[in-house]
Amino acid sequence: MSRHATADPLPAIAELTGVSKFYGPVMALNDVTLSLQPGITGLVGPNGAGKSTLIRLLTGQLRPGLGKVRVCGRDAWRASAKAHIGYCADSDAFYEEMSGRQFVRLMARFHGLFGAAARQRCETVLEEVGMADRADRPLAGYSKGMRQRIKLAQALLHDPDLLVLDEPLNGVDPLGRIDLLKQLTQIANRGKAVLVSSHILDEMDRLAERVLFLCRGRLIASGTLAQVRDMLDDHPLKVCVACNSPRALAARLALHETVHGIQMQGGDRLILQVRPPKEFFPMFSELACQEAFEIRRLEILDASTEAVFDYLMQASQPGAESKRVPAADSMVDRQGTPAS
Amino acid sequence: MTTAFAVIQMMLTAVRRMIWSRQTMVSLLLLTLVSLGCIAWSLRGERDPADFLRQILLPMYVAFLLPMSCLSFATVGIAGDREEGTLVYLLSTPLPRPLIYTAKFAAALLLALVWSLGGLWVLGVAAGPAGREAVAIAWPAALLATLAYVGLFQWFGALFRRATIMALAYALFLEVFLGNMPGIIKRVAITFYTQCILFEAAAPLGVAPSGPHSATIFQPISGSTAQMILIVLSVGFFVLGAVVFSRREYP
């Protein structure tokens, strides 16, 4: 079983083909193949998974040891590709003596914009990130959230096709996060590919259309959250059911082989552990109709990025292959293989 | 057109940032101290240009102040951005890396030339008429040495994260220690070629390698050969640095 959903029919803006990256004897990325289409893609993985390496390869800061990284058809290392890439790095470095506006305007000039065009573009992106009225203060006095916004502003200056954001929500207050998430969605809606790396998995649920799961340098799963969750058919899914007669329903469900655990939650609720989900849901619908149970609520509890991530991490631990995941080889399958 | 504009902007930004850096302050302090030394020197009786060359320019300017000034500016061009973490912004622009390197090199060279030649002039003025006459003889050697030092130290910047420390080690060990060794081993030092140019230019004043075994210890080469070597070294270091910077990853 592959954990890689079939790629969208949309044209790829960025592609990694069989990319491996070595730091001396350490393999930071191992044979990664993926493509980024317009829309927001989340990149998640534990520390040391290779997220930053992947991002730096994609933005042309690093060169692959093996394989190819192409952005808009150009080698990402080459200067011509950089015109299509906006990069919001995780480092918090600026020319501290400048104001936010001076910094963004300077970056505009570095991108070849000058005169009125540079000023106009600078104001547009500052407005877009909500910093237009605060950009004249020195960068050294900015909060973390304001610095993130300035970094985003400089990444948007040249209207890139691919926007790569490494932990863009770090230090941003809750209201600011909502603003930034909206902006990223708007950028994606303009046909741009946005790759967001974040350790705040909760936000990925709301933000990312697709998610790339990296672990120990390998791309262990990719696709929409629902697609990836569906692929985890060997892992019990937690489902919350609220109905008018929970005990009767529990008694009926206990007879079915797809239900591996039932927990009474008090009141009208049951928490079920089901596997495989694909077989459970048709059975459940049929049962509810036949027995006339009044289903008030049906909710999947662990289809979030965090739950999927946790499972993938557990399954990819050394030794987990033989115990937990029968199809271990396909779990860490060669990337890019369409899901069956 | 836009590329040229971006490169010029990058150069001007680097110049601005280098001017207002602690390296400038250090260079200013060193120049002030040496200038005060020159004033004190000029007050002690009758002086001639040959004395100024022998007693001030060769030991204090050529062997110390000149490499230090070049080091101050050339090492911060690339290495400063690396240390501060701002290099990523430059490498994210659609400018080819050799052009980014050229912009940084031009900025460092401009400031180093102003500093080394301006510093030489300040020392000459501080030392009085003898100093001014000696400066007229010494400036071509200072110019060529500046080119070579900036090329070398900027290459260090592309090569090492702590380029200032490496450049200091080079300046203090190779230039001073090996530069004063007998035989041809001193030919690894830029100072040697600078001195050869100076000795030839100042020969009419009677300035020559001094000491009882000067001929065997110093073994000078002709001024024109030394000039040629410094020019070749400058170009070579620049090309080498640009190639290193273009191929190297800066994670």
mmCIF file of all heavy atoms in Angstrom, chain A residues 21 61-63 77 79 82 87 93-95 97 103 106 109-114 151 154, chain B residues 2 5-6 9-10 13 17 81 84-86 88-92 94 97 246-249:
data_model
loop_
_atom_site.group_PDB
_atom_site.id
_atom_site.type_symbol
_atom_site.label_atom_id
_atom_site.label_comp_id
_atom_site.label_asym_id
_atom_site.label_seq_id
_atom_site.Cartn_x
_atom_site.Cartn_y
_atom_site.Cartn_z
ATOM 1 N N LYS A 21 19.849 13.953 -0.366
ATOM 2 C CA LYS A 21 20.806 14.971 0.056
ATOM 3 C C LYS A 21 21.632 14.420 1.218
ATOM 4 O O LYS A 21 21.079 13.908 2.185
ATOM 5 C CB LYS A 21 20.054 16.239 0.493
ATOM 6 C CG LYS A 21 20.941 17.358 0.990
ATOM 7 C CD LYS A 21 21.790 17.932 -0.104
ATOM 8 C CE LYS A 21 22.808 18.920 0.425
ATOM 9 N NZ LYS A 21 23.769 19.316 -0.622
ATOM 10 N N GLN A 61 18.785 26.979 -2.192
ATOM 11 C CA GLN A 61 19.860 27.293 -1.249
ATOM 12 C C GLN A 61 20.838 26.115 -1.159
ATOM 13 O O GLN A 61 21.991 26.292 -0.808
ATOM 14 C CB GLN A 61 19.306 27.580 0.157
ATOM 15 C CG GLN A 61 18.203 28.631 0.203
ATOM 16 C CD GLN A 61 18.706 30.007 -0.162
ATOM 17 O OE1 GLN A 61 19.760 30.428 0.299
ATOM 18 N NE2 GLN A 61 17.970 30.708 -1.011
ATOM 19 N N LEU A 62 20.325 24.935 -1.440
ATOM 20 C CA LEU A 62 21.154 23.727 -1.439
ATOM 21 C C LEU A 62 20.999 23.028 -2.784
ATOM 22 O O LEU A 62 19.993 23.225 -3.482
ATOM 23 C CB LEU A 62 20.716 22.760 -0.332
ATOM 24 C CG LEU A 62 20.843 23.204 1.117
ATOM 25 C CD1 LEU A 62 20.279 22.117 2.031
ATOM 26 C CD2 LEU A 62 22.279 23.505 1.483
ATOM 27 N N ARG A 63 21.985 22.199 -3.102
ATOM 28 C CA ARG A 63 21.909 21.407 -4.322
ATOM 29 C C ARG A 63 21.728 19.945 -3.946
ATOM 30 O O ARG A 63 22.350 19.481 -2.980
ATOM 31 C CB ARG A 63 23.196 21.554 -5.126
ATOM 32 C CG ARG A 63 23.116 22.688 -6.111
ATOM 33 C CD ARG A 63 24.259 22.643 -7.066
ATOM 34 N NE ARG A 63 25.523 22.782 -6.392
ATOM 35 C CZ ARG A 63 26.639 23.145 -7.004
ATOM 36 N NH1 ARG A 63 26.624 23.393 -8.274
ATOM 37 N NH2 ARG A 63 27.764 23.262 -6.338
ATOM 38 N N TRP A 77 18.518 25.591 -8.365
ATOM 39 C CA TRP A 77 19.787 26.206 -7.953
ATOM 40 C C TRP A 77 20.091 27.449 -8.790
ATOM 41 O O TRP A 77 20.736 28.378 -8.330
ATOM 42 C CB TRP A 77 20.907 25.164 -8.091
ATOM 43 C CG TRP A 77 22.283 25.663 -7.791
ATOM 44 C CD1 TRP A 77 23.220 26.073 -8.690
ATOM 45 C CD2 TRP A 77 22.894 25.825 -6.502
ATOM 46 N NE1 TRP A 77 24.360 26.472 -8.046
ATOM 47 C CE2 TRP A 77 24.197 26.317 -6.698
ATOM 48 C CE3 TRP A 77 22.465 25.587 -5.189
ATOM 49 C CZ2 TRP A 77 25.072 26.579 -5.655
ATOM 50 C CZ3 TRP A 77 23.341 25.845 -4.147
ATOM 51 C CH2 TRP A 77 24.621 26.341 -4.380
ATOM 52 N N ALA A 79 19.836 30.939 -10.987
ATOM 53 C CA ALA A 79 19.256 32.252 -10.676
ATOM 54 C C ALA A 79 17.912 32.440 -11.377
ATOM 55 O O ALA A 79 17.006 33.069 -10.820
ATOM 56 C CB ALA A 79 20.234 33.344 -11.103
ATOM 57 N N LYS A 82 14.981 31.507 -9.336
ATOM 58 C CA LYS A 82 14.711 32.314 -8.135
ATOM 59 C C LYS A 82 13.638 33.377 -8.398
ATOM 60 O O LYS A 82 12.974 33.834 -7.474
ATOM 61 C CB LYS A 82 15.997 32.997 -7.642
ATOM 62 C CG LYS A 82 17.178 32.064 -7.416
ATOM 63 C CD LYS A 82 17.085 31.351 -6.083
ATOM 64 C CE LYS A 82 18.181 30.307 -5.936
ATOM 65 N NZ LYS A 82 19.511 30.838 -5.818
ATOM 66 N N TYR A 87 10.725 33.143 -0.757
ATOM 67 C CA TYR A 87 11.192 32.319 0.366
ATOM 68 C C TYR A 87 11.143 33.115 1.665
ATOM 69 O O TYR A 87 11.734 34.173 1.785
ATOM 70 C CB TYR A 87 12.624 31.860 0.077
ATOM 71 C CG TYR A 87 13.248 30.982 1.151
ATOM 72 C CD1 TYR A 87 12.487 30.131 1.931
ATOM 73 C CD2 TYR A 87 14.624 30.994 1.347
ATOM 74 C CE1 TYR A 87 13.067 29.327 2.898
ATOM 75 C CE2 TYR A 87 15.223 30.185 2.309
ATOM 76 C CZ TYR A 87 14.432 29.356 3.083
ATOM 77 O OH TYR A 87 15.002 28.567 4.045
ATOM 78 N N ALA A 93 16.786 36.756 10.862
ATOM 79 C CA ALA A 93 17.836 37.739 10.585
ATOM 80 C C ALA A 93 17.344 38.815 9.619
ATOM 81 O O ALA A 93 16.646 38.509 8.654
ATOM 82 C CB ALA A 93 19.042 37.030 9.985
ATOM 83 N N PHE A 94 17.714 40.036 9.933
ATOM 84 C CA PHE A 94 17.385 41.178 9.076
ATOM 85 C C PHE A 94 18.557 42.148 9.101
ATOM 86 O O PHE A 94 19.469 42.003 9.903
ATOM 87 C CB PHE A 94 16.156 41.923 9.614
ATOM 88 C CG PHE A 94 14.866 41.182 9.464
ATOM 89 C CD1 PHE A 94 14.337 40.475 10.527
ATOM 90 C CD2 PHE A 94 14.170 41.199 8.276
ATOM 91 C CE1 PHE A 94 13.140 39.792 10.408
ATOM 92 C CE2 PHE A 94 12.983 40.513 8.148
ATOM 93 C CZ PHE A 94 12.470 39.816 9.213
ATOM 94 N N TYR A 95 18.471 43.168 8.264
ATOM 95 C CA TYR A 95 19.362 44.315 8.421
ATOM 96 C C TYR A 95 18.722 45.185 9.503
ATOM 97 O O TYR A 95 17.867 46.023 9.221
ATOM 98 C CB TYR A 95 19.512 45.066 7.107
ATOM 99 C CG TYR A 95 20.156 44.266 6.000
ATOM 100 C CD1 TYR A 95 19.785 44.419 4.673
ATOM 101 C CD2 TYR A 95 21.165 43.346 6.286
ATOM 102 C CE1 TYR A 95 20.381 43.687 3.656
ATOM 103 C CE2 TYR A 95 21.766 42.606 5.273
ATOM 104 C CZ TYR A 95 21.363 42.779 3.971
ATOM 105 O OH TYR A 95 21.952 42.040 2.968
ATOM 106 N N GLU A 97 19.357 47.609 11.309
ATOM 107 C CA GLU A 97 19.415 49.066 11.388
ATOM 108 C C GLU A 97 18.340 49.726 10.518
ATOM 109 O O GLU A 97 18.109 50.926 10.618
ATOM 110 C CB GLU A 97 20.814 49.562 10.989
ATOM 111 C CG GLU A 97 21.182 49.440 9.516
ATOM 112 C CD GLU A 97 21.670 48.045 9.118
ATOM 113 O OE1 GLU A 97 21.562 47.119 9.939
ATOM 114 O OE2 GLU A 97 22.144 47.898 7.971
ATOM 115 N N PHE A 103 13.693 47.960 4.476
ATOM 116 C CA PHE A 103 14.155 46.598 4.182
ATOM 117 C C PHE A 103 13.406 46.017 2.983
ATOM 118 O O PHE A 103 14.019 45.483 2.053
ATOM 119 C CB PHE A 103 13.972 45.709 5.414
ATOM 120 C CG PHE A 103 14.416 44.291 5.207
ATOM 121 C CD1 PHE A 103 15.757 43.965 5.217
ATOM 122 C CD2 PHE A 103 13.493 43.281 4.993
ATOM 123 C CE1 PHE A 103 16.173 42.657 5.005
ATOM 124 C CE2 PHE A 103 13.896 41.981 4.787
ATOM 125 C CZ PHE A 103 15.240 41.669 4.796
ATOM 126 N N LEU A 106 14.403 47.716 -0.162
ATOM 127 C CA LEU A 106 15.739 47.268 -0.583
ATOM 128 C C LEU A 106 15.645 45.920 -1.283
ATOM 129 O O LEU A 106 16.265 45.696 -2.331
ATOM 130 C CB LEU A 106 16.659 47.172 0.639
ATOM 131 C CG LEU A 106 18.089 46.709 0.348
ATOM 132 C CD1 LEU A 106 18.839 47.766 -0.439
ATOM 133 C CD2 LEU A 106 18.828 46.401 1.634
ATOM 134 N N ARG A 109 14.513 46.288 -4.715
ATOM 135 C CA ARG A 109 15.597 46.713 -5.631
ATOM 136 C C ARG A 109 16.494 45.538 -5.979
ATOM 137 O O ARG A 109 16.948 45.412 -7.114
ATOM 138 C CB ARG A 109 16.410 47.827 -4.976
ATOM 139 C CG ARG A 109 15.612 49.105 -4.818
ATOM 140 C CD ARG A 109 16.523 50.247 -4.402
ATOM 141 N NE ARG A 109 15.740 51.392 -4.020
ATOM 142 C CZ ARG A 109 15.770 51.963 -2.821
ATOM 143 N NH1 ARG A 109 16.561 51.484 -1.886
ATOM 144 N NH2 ARG A 109 15.021 53.004 -2.552
ATOM 145 N N PHE A 110 16.735 44.676 -5.005
ATOM 146 C CA PHE A 110 17.555 43.490 -5.290
ATOM 147 C C PHE A 110 16.859 42.583 -6.322
ATOM 148 O O PHE A 110 17.510 41.801 -6.991
ATOM 149 C CB PHE A 110 17.813 42.677 -4.019
ATOM 150 C CG PHE A 110 18.799 43.306 -3.068
ATOM 151 C CD1 PHE A 110 19.094 42.709 -1.863
ATOM 152 C CD2 PHE A 110 19.440 44.500 -3.380
ATOM 153 C CE1 PHE A 110 20.004 43.272 -0.976
ATOM 154 C CE2 PHE A 110 20.350 45.083 -2.499
ATOM 155 C CZ PHE A 110 20.630 44.466 -1.292
ATOM 156 N N HIS A 111 15.539 42.691 -6.382
ATOM 157 C CA HIS A 111 14.806 41.894 -7.367
ATOM 158 C C HIS A 111 14.662 42.639 -8.695
ATOM 159 O O HIS A 111 13.894 42.213 -9.564
ATOM 160 C CB HIS A 111 13.428 41.515 -6.826
ATOM 161 C CG HIS A 111 13.478 40.310 -5.935
ATOM 162 N ND1 HIS A 111 13.668 40.404 -4.574
ATOM 163 C CD2 HIS A 111 13.421 38.988 -6.206
ATOM 164 C CE1 HIS A 111 13.689 39.184 -4.053
ATOM 165 N NE2 HIS A 111 13.554 38.323 -5.018
ATOM 166 N N GLY A 112 15.359 43.748 -8.813
ATOM 167 C CA GLY A 112 15.379 44.450 -10.096
ATOM 168 C C GLY A 112 14.273 45.467 -10.281
ATOM 169 O O GLY A 112 14.105 46.010 -11.369
ATOM 170 N N LEU A 113 13.492 45.717 -9.230
ATOM 171 C CA LEU A 113 12.463 46.764 -9.327
ATOM 172 C C LEU A 113 13.107 48.081 -8.920
ATOM 173 O O LEU A 113 13.876 48.114 -7.970
ATOM 174 C CB LEU A 113 11.304 46.470 -8.375
ATOM 175 C CG LEU A 113 10.523 45.181 -8.628
ATOM 176 C CD1 LEU A 113 9.603 44.886 -7.455
ATOM 177 C CD2 LEU A 113 9.718 45.301 -9.898
ATOM 178 N N PHE A 114 12.818 49.146 -9.604
ATOM 179 C CA PHE A 114 13.383 50.406 -9.153
ATOM 180 C C PHE A 114 12.407 51.561 -9.341
ATOM 181 O O PHE A 114 11.385 51.434 -10.011
ATOM 182 C CB PHE A 114 14.755 50.703 -9.775
ATOM 183 C CG PHE A 114 14.844 50.575 -11.266
ATOM 184 C CD1 PHE A 114 14.770 51.686 -12.072
ATOM 185 C CD2 PHE A 114 15.025 49.327 -11.845
ATOM 186 C CE1 PHE A 114 14.879 51.555 -13.437
ATOM 187 C CE2 PHE A 114 15.131 49.204 -13.219
ATOM 188 C CZ PHE A 114 15.056 50.320 -14.023
ATOM 189 N N LYS A 151 9.048 39.398 6.730
ATOM 190 C CA LYS A 151 9.672 38.326 5.943
ATOM 191 C C LYS A 151 8.729 37.858 4.835
ATOM 192 O O LYS A 151 9.140 37.609 3.714
ATOM 193 C CB LYS A 151 10.011 37.134 6.854
ATOM 194 C CG LYS A 151 11.386 37.222 7.462
ATOM 195 C CD LYS A 151 11.869 35.880 7.978
ATOM 196 C CE LYS A 151 11.189 35.493 9.252
ATOM 197 N NZ LYS A 151 11.683 34.231 9.808
ATOM 198 N N GLN A 154 8.672 40.500 2.007
ATOM 199 C CA GLN A 154 9.790 40.457 1.056
ATOM 200 C C GLN A 154 9.711 39.230 0.145
ATOM 201 O O GLN A 154 10.187 39.265 -0.982
ATOM 202 C CB GLN A 154 11.142 40.551 1.784
ATOM 203 C CG GLN A 154 11.520 39.417 2.713
ATOM 204 C CD GLN A 154 12.080 38.203 2.009
ATOM 205 O OE1 GLN A 154 12.697 38.332 0.963
ATOM 206 N NE2 GLN A 154 11.828 37.030 2.572
ATOM 207 N N THR B 2 17.895 45.781 -15.469
ATOM 208 C CA THR B 2 17.430 45.561 -14.095
ATOM 209 C C THR B 2 18.475 44.789 -13.286
ATOM 210 O O THR B 2 18.633 45.028 -12.098
ATOM 211 C CB THR B 2 16.094 44.789 -14.070
ATOM 212 O OG1 THR B 2 16.266 43.612 -14.828
ATOM 213 C CG2 THR B 2 14.963 45.608 -14.653
ATOM 214 N N PHE B 5 21.138 47.208 -12.297
ATOM 215 C CA PHE B 5 20.616 48.060 -11.232
ATOM 216 C C PHE B 5 20.629 47.319 -9.895
ATOM 217 O O PHE B 5 21.034 47.870 -8.865
ATOM 218 C CB PHE B 5 19.183 48.477 -11.599
ATOM 219 C CG PHE B 5 18.503 49.269 -10.520
ATOM 220 C CD1 PHE B 5 18.776 50.616 -10.360
ATOM 221 C CD2 PHE B 5 17.617 48.654 -9.641
ATOM 222 C CE1 PHE B 5 18.162 51.335 -9.340
ATOM 223 C CE2 PHE B 5 17.013 49.367 -8.632
ATOM 224 C CZ PHE B 5 17.281 50.712 -8.481
ATOM 225 N N ALA B 6 20.204 46.055 -9.928
ATOM 226 C CA ALA B 6 20.176 45.269 -8.682
ATOM 227 C C ALA B 6 21.583 45.068 -8.124
ATOM 228 O O ALA B 6 21.798 45.150 -6.906
ATOM 229 C CB ALA B 6 19.501 43.924 -8.943
ATOM 230 N N GLN B 9 22.717 48.272 -6.563
ATOM 231 C CA GLN B 9 22.026 48.438 -5.277
ATOM 232 C C GLN B 9 22.672 47.575 -4.198
ATOM 233 O O GLN B 9 22.854 47.997 -3.058
ATOM 234 C CB GLN B 9 20.558 48.049 -5.414
ATOM 235 C CG GLN B 9 19.696 49.084 -6.058
ATOM 236 C CD GLN B 9 19.693 50.393 -5.269
ATOM 237 O OE1 GLN B 9 19.662 50.389 -4.055
ATOM 238 N NE2 GLN B 9 19.756 51.516 -5.966
ATOM 239 N N MET B 10 23.008 46.348 -4.579
ATOM 240 C CA MET B 10 23.627 45.426 -3.625
ATOM 241 C C MET B 10 24.987 45.966 -3.184
ATOM 242 O O MET B 10 25.348 45.894 -2.012
ATOM 243 C CB MET B 10 23.778 44.057 -4.285
ATOM 244 C CG MET B 10 23.725 42.911 -3.317
ATOM 245 S SD MET B 10 23.643 41.337 -4.161
ATOM 246 C CE MET B 10 21.888 41.060 -4.231
ATOM 247 N N THR B 13 24.463 49.021 -0.906
ATOM 248 C CA THR B 13 24.009 48.578 0.421
ATOM 249 C C THR B 13 25.185 48.032 1.227
ATOM 250 O O THR B 13 25.332 48.334 2.414
ATOM 251 C CB THR B 13 22.919 47.484 0.273
ATOM 252 O OG1 THR B 13 21.883 47.992 -0.543
ATOM 253 C CG2 THR B 13 22.363 47.066 1.608
ATOM 254 N N ARG B 17 26.613 49.525 4.725
ATOM 255 C CA ARG B 17 26.687 48.705 5.934
ATOM 256 C C ARG B 17 28.119 48.569 6.444
ATOM 257 O O ARG B 17 28.360 48.478 7.627
ATOM 258 C CB ARG B 17 26.084 47.318 5.679
ATOM 259 C CG ARG B 17 24.625 47.416 5.240
ATOM 260 C CD ARG B 17 23.920 46.102 5.368
ATOM 261 N NE ARG B 17 23.594 45.840 6.751
ATOM 262 C CZ ARG B 17 23.808 44.690 7.357
ATOM 263 N NH1 ARG B 17 24.360 43.705 6.718
ATOM 264 N NH2 ARG B 17 23.474 44.531 8.619
ATOM 265 N N ASP B 81 27.458 38.720 6.105
ATOM 266 C CA ASP B 81 26.085 38.279 5.835
ATOM 267 C C ASP B 81 25.867 36.838 6.291
ATOM 268 O O ASP B 81 24.789 36.484 6.767
ATOM 269 C CB ASP B 81 25.782 38.396 4.339
ATOM 270 C CG ASP B 81 25.307 39.797 3.963
ATOM 271 O OD1 ASP B 81 24.346 40.266 4.583
ATOM 272 O OD2 ASP B 81 25.916 40.415 3.088
ATOM 273 N N GLU B 84 25.529 36.955 10.117
ATOM 274 C CA GLU B 84 24.283 37.589 10.565
ATOM 275 C C GLU B 84 23.048 36.831 10.086
ATOM 276 O O GLU B 84 21.941 37.117 10.526
ATOM 277 C CB GLU B 84 24.217 39.030 10.045
ATOM 278 C CG GLU B 84 25.202 39.957 10.723
ATOM 279 C CD GLU B 84 25.238 41.322 10.064
ATOM 280 O OE1 GLU B 84 24.270 41.690 9.384
ATOM 281 O OE2 GLU B 84 26.249 42.016 10.230
ATOM 282 N N GLY B 85 23.228 35.907 9.155
ATOM 283 C CA GLY B 85 22.092 35.131 8.651
ATOM 284 C C GLY B 85 21.314 35.844 7.560
ATOM 285 O O GLY B 85 20.208 35.425 7.209
ATOM 286 N N THR B 86 21.870 36.928 7.011
ATOM 287 C CA THR B 86 21.142 37.684 5.987
ATOM 288 C C THR B 86 21.544 37.279 4.564
ATOM 289 O O THR B 86 20.977 37.794 3.609
ATOM 290 C CB THR B 86 21.389 39.207 6.159
ATOM 291 O OG1 THR B 86 22.796 39.422 6.301
ATOM 292 C CG2 THR B 86 20.684 39.730 7.377
ATOM 293 N N VAL B 88 20.860 34.672 3.085
ATOM 294 C CA VAL B 88 19.739 33.979 2.441
ATOM 295 C C VAL B 88 18.912 34.951 1.578
ATOM 296 O O VAL B 88 18.417 34.578 0.523
ATOM 297 C CB VAL B 88 18.858 33.271 3.500
ATOM 298 C CG1 VAL B 88 18.176 34.255 4.428
ATOM 299 C CG2 VAL B 88 17.831 32.379 2.847
ATOM 300 N N TYR B 89 18.819 36.206 2.007
ATOM 301 C CA TYR B 89 18.055 37.186 1.215
ATOM 302 C C TYR B 89 18.748 37.462 -0.114
ATOM 303 O O TYR B 89 18.101 37.620 -1.147
ATOM 304 C CB TYR B 89 17.890 38.492 1.992
ATOM 305 C CG TYR B 89 17.066 38.340 3.239
ATOM 306 C CD1 TYR B 89 17.620 38.526 4.488
ATOM 307 C CD2 TYR B 89 15.719 37.994 3.168
ATOM 308 C CE1 TYR B 89 16.869 38.373 5.644
ATOM 309 C CE2 TYR B 89 14.961 37.839 4.309
ATOM 310 C CZ TYR B 89 15.535 38.027 5.546
ATOM 311 O OH TYR B 89 14.791 37.873 6.678
ATOM 312 N N LEU B 90 20.078 37.535 -0.072
ATOM 313 C CA LEU B 90 20.820 37.798 -1.304
ATOM 314 C C LEU B 90 20.740 36.596 -2.239
ATOM 315 O O LEU B 90 20.569 36.743 -3.447
ATOM 316 C CB LEU B 90 22.289 38.113 -0.997
ATOM 317 C CG LEU B 90 22.558 39.214 0.031
ATOM 318 C CD1 LEU B 90 24.052 39.494 0.121
ATOM 319 C CD2 LEU B 90 21.824 40.496 -0.340
ATOM 320 N N LEU B 91 20.838 35.402 -1.639
ATOM 321 C CA LEU B 91 20.821 34.192 -2.460
ATOM 322 C C LEU B 91 19.415 33.853 -2.958
ATOM 323 O O LEU B 91 19.258 32.965 -3.775
ATOM 324 C CB LEU B 91 21.406 33.011 -1.675
ATOM 325 C CG LEU B 91 22.865 33.159 -1.262
ATOM 326 C CD1 LEU B 91 23.349 31.913 -0.522
ATOM 327 C CD2 LEU B 91 23.764 33.418 -2.463
ATOM 328 N N SER B 92 18.415 34.534 -2.439
ATOM 329 C CA SER B 92 17.044 34.307 -2.911
ATOM 330 C C SER B 92 16.676 35.248 -4.058
ATOM 331 O O SER B 92 15.586 35.139 -4.617
ATOM 332 C CB SER B 92 16.040 34.518 -1.772
ATOM 333 O OG SER B 92 16.307 33.618 -0.728
ATOM 334 N N PRO B 94 16.980 36.859 -7.884
ATOM 335 C CA PRO B 94 17.269 36.194 -9.178
ATOM 336 C C PRO B 94 18.582 36.651 -9.805
ATOM 337 O O PRO B 94 18.713 36.678 -11.023
ATOM 338 C CB PRO B 94 16.064 36.599 -10.035
ATOM 339 C CG PRO B 94 15.557 37.844 -9.441
ATOM 340 C CD PRO B 94 15.904 37.849 -8.000
ATOM 341 N N ARG B 97 24.944 34.104 -8.855
ATOM 342 C CA ARG B 97 25.855 34.221 -7.707
ATOM 343 C C ARG B 97 27.143 34.976 -8.022
ATOM 344 O O ARG B 97 27.619 35.748 -7.186
ATOM 345 C CB ARG B 97 26.162 32.842 -7.147
ATOM 346 C CG ARG B 97 25.007 32.271 -6.340
ATOM 347 C CD ARG B 97 25.439 30.988 -5.673
ATOM 348 N NE ARG B 97 24.377 30.458 -4.833
ATOM 349 C CZ ARG B 97 24.585 29.750 -3.738
ATOM 350 N NH1 ARG B 97 25.816 29.495 -3.345
ATOM 351 N NH2 ARG B 97 23.575 29.287 -3.036
ATOM 352 N N SER B 246 29.950 30.617 -6.118
ATOM 353 C CA SER B 246 28.903 30.147 -7.034
ATOM 354 C C SER B 246 28.553 28.686 -6.806
ATOM 355 O O SER B 246 27.435 28.270 -7.088
ATOM 356 C CB SER B 246 29.376 30.302 -8.487
ATOM 357 O OG SER B 246 29.696 31.630 -8.733
ATOM 358 N N ARG B 247 29.498 27.932 -6.305
ATOM 359 C CA ARG B 247 29.271 26.495 -6.178
ATOM 360 C C ARG B 247 28.953 26.055 -4.756
ATOM 361 O O ARG B 247 28.432 24.975 -4.542
ATOM 362 C CB ARG B 247 30.511 25.735 -6.658
ATOM 363 C CG ARG B 247 30.896 26.074 -8.082
ATOM 364 C CD ARG B 247 32.143 25.349 -8.483
ATOM 365 N NE ARG B 247 31.937 23.918 -8.556
ATOM 366 C CZ ARG B 247 31.454 23.268 -9.605
ATOM 367 N NH1 ARG B 247 31.136 23.929 -10.685
ATOM 368 N NH2 ARG B 247 31.299 21.971 -9.582
ATOM 369 N N ARG B 248 29.282 26.892 -3.815
ATOM 370 C CA ARG B 248 29.184 26.477 -2.428
ATOM 371 C C ARG B 248 27.761 26.646 -1.883
ATOM 372 O O ARG B 248 27.061 27.582 -2.244
ATOM 373 C CB ARG B 248 30.137 27.328 -1.582
ATOM 374 C CG ARG B 248 30.534 26.713 -0.278
ATOM 375 C CD ARG B 248 31.602 27.581 0.372
ATOM 376 N NE ARG B 248 31.854 27.184 1.724
ATOM 377 C CZ ARG B 248 32.708 26.245 2.081
ATOM 378 N NH1 ARG B 248 33.391 25.612 1.165
ATOM 379 N NH2 ARG B 248 32.885 25.943 3.349
ATOM 380 N N GLU B 249 27.377 25.716 -0.993
ATOM 381 C CA GLU B 249 26.087 25.839 -0.312
ATOM 382 C C GLU B 249 26.313 26.585 0.997
ATOM 383 O O GLU B 249 27.304 26.352 1.688
ATOM 384 C CB GLU B 249 25.521 24.461 -0.017
ATOM 385 C CG GLU B 249 25.184 23.678 -1.283
ATOM 386 C CD GLU B 249 24.836 22.240 -0.981
ATOM 387 O OE1 GLU B 249 25.262 21.723 0.074
ATOM 388 O OE2 GLU B 249 24.150 21.629 -1.803
#
